[in-house]
């Protein structure tokens, strides 16, 4: 790829994809709604404003696609964007989907079939839950910081948490031109952990006691709603925890190693890098 557009280019995954490709000499254009002072390769791009698509896709061979998550029907905007990109010469798109999203006629599940249908070379990345959720601004990280508590409805279900740096390395290799493997690209870390086990690792690394409290899906829905999230969306988010409780994320894949040649980073090593002084984020 000569020029790659990274949507969500200032976010957790996108900025890592941009860094990976720039380090290999690829011309990278990052895109998001807000300007990035000093970055002349950044374009203002808004999924809700199709008039911003043409400048973003001009001369672009490959795209890292982070879809609008708050849009109930993202396929409409993404379809228009893909048509503009392919007309401008884009051949390859790496879609950031999720292991928790299955193909469906609407919602985020409509995007994988849409991308495969519209783009000559489509890669759908389905990462498990991000290790990044335990640091920074995510509600899990906020609970750790503010109350020493992680609240979920996952019970003893395990999740093979993944470092977003490993997701970015997979996307980067594919957008650099690596062959797209057949089959589902489920991306996981090296180990599946329950939230009890994850809380123990956080406690050990940060030196601060952190506990996991598992509540019911109904209780979690109410708690998420209390944060200003509409009921249906809160119910959907809480339902993802019920899937975890049922074992949906309790599996390890070799996809990261198969594509990048490197082992994915462990949860402990991720936290040690995020908390070099042994303090909570
Ligand atoms: N967290 C997890 O555990 C997890 C697990 C699996 C999959 N995922 C998937 O990861 C994706 C999120 O990726 P991320 O965590 O890397 O992103 P992120 O850190 O949440 O950042 C979102 C990026 O998108 C941009 N953005 C937001 N709204 C936009 C809009 N309307 N138009 C254009 N750009 C917009 C933001 O910049 P501006 O604000 O400047 O626009 C930012 O660059 C979601 O699709 C989610 O399903 C997450």
């Amino acid at each position: 790829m000569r020029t790659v557009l990274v949507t969500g280019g200032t976010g957790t995954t996108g900025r890592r994809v941009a860094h990976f490709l720039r380090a290999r000499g690829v011309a990278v254009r990052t895109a998001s709604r807000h300007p990035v002072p000093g970055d002349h390769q950044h374009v203002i791009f808004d999924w809700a404003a199709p008039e911003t698509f043409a400048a973003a896709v001009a001369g672009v061979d490959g795209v890292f696609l982070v879809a609008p998550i708050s849009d109930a029907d993202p396929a409409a905007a993404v379809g228009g964007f893909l048509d503009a990109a392919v007309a401008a010469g884009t051949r390859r798109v790496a879609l950031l989907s999720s292991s928790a999203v299955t193909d469906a006629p609407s919602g985020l599940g409509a995007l994988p079939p849409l991308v495969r249908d519209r783009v000559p070379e489509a890669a759908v990345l389905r990462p498990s839950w991000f290790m990044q959720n335990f640091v920074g601004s995510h509600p899990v990280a906020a609970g750790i910081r503010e109350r020493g508590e992680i609240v979920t409805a996952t019970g003893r279900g395990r999740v093979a948490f993944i470092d977003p740096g490993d997701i970015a390395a997979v996307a980067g290799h594919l957008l650099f031109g690596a062959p797209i493997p057949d089959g589902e690209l489920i991306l996981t870390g090296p180990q599946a952990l329950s939230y009890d086990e994850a809380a123990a690792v956080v406690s050990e690394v940060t030196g601060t006691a952190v506990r996991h409290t598992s509540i019911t899906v109904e209780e979690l829905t109410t708690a998420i709603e209390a944060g200003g999230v509409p009921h249906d969306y809160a119910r959907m988010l809480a339902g993802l925890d019920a899937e975890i409780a049922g074992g949906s994320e309790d599996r390890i894949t070799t996809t990261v190693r198969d594509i990048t040649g490197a082992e994915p980073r462990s949860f402990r090593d991720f936290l040690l890098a995020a908390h070099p002084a042994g303090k909570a984020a």
Side-chain angles (χ1 to χ4, degrees):
M1 301 288 133
R2 293 181 305 272
T3 302
V4 171
L5 174 72
V6 177
T7 63
T10 56
T12 297
T13 319
R15 67 172 188 273
R16 290 169 167 84
V17 174
H19 179 77
F20 180 100
L21 290 169
R22 282 177 175 150
R24 285 156 183 78
V26 176
V28 172
R29 185 179 301 151
T30 55
S32 71
R33 291 166 302 176
H34 301 96
V36 179
D39 184 351
H40 303 297
Q41 306 308 320
H42 181 268
V43 288
I44 298 298
F45 171 83
D46 189 343
W47 286 111
E51 65 275 16
T52 62
F53 295 175
V57 299
V60 158
D61 313 289
V63 173
F64 180 64
L65 201 157
V66 180
I69 53 168
S70 50
D71 184 343
D73 182 22
V78 174
F81 168 82
L82 292 174
D83 290 344
V86 171
T90 297
R91 289 201 55 75
R92 183 170 285 203
V93 171
L95 170 70
L96 178 59
S97 183
S98 164
S99 60
V101 171
T102 47
D103 289 4
S106 62
L108 289 172
L111 299 182
L114 180 72
V115 172
R116 289 194 193 100
D117 188 47
R118 303 270 176 108
V119 176
E121 300 172 12
V124 176
L125 309 187
R126 298 190 186 276
S128 187
W129 292 75
F130 294 2
M131 294 177 184
Q132 185 76 14
N133 298 347
F134 290 79
V135 300
S137 59
H138 192 277
V140 168
I144 291 171
R145 206 166 38 236
E146 293 160 15
R147 299 183 308 280
E149 183 181 37
I150 302 168
V151 178
T152 77
T154 60
R156 294 187 174 173
R158 289 201 168 91
V159 180
F161 297 105
I162 182 165
D163 178 350
D166 288 322
I167 303 168
V170 167
H173 275 86
L174 295 176
L175 290 167
F176 196 58
I180 300 173
D182 292 334
E184 292 283 347
L185 302 180
I186 305 280
L187 311 181
T188 72
Q191 196 185 11
L193 298 171
S194 68
Y195 275 89
D196 283 357
E197 292 165 333
V201 180
V202 176
S203 302
E204 181 218 329
V205 170
T206 63
T208 306
V210 174
R211 68 188 180 283
H212 169 230
T213 305
S214 192
I215 58 179
T216 66
V217 170
E218 290 68 29
E219 288 167 338
L220 185 60
T221 304
T222 304
I224 297 172
E225 265 187 286
V229 176
H231 176 79
D232 287 353
Y233 197 56
R235 172 80 203 165
M236 186 279 290
L237 291 175
L240 297 176
D241 276 19
E243 299 283 324
I244 291 171
S248 66
E249 297 291 329
D250 191 357
R251 47 120 162 65
I252 308 291
T253 69
T254 60
T255 313
V256 171
R257 187 181 66 217
D258 295 345
I259 293 176
T260 70
E263 294 295 335
R265 188 148 67 161
S266 72
F267 185 58
R268 190 169 186 282
D269 286 348
F270 172 83
L271 289 178
L272 282 170
H275 301 284
K279 296 184 304 197

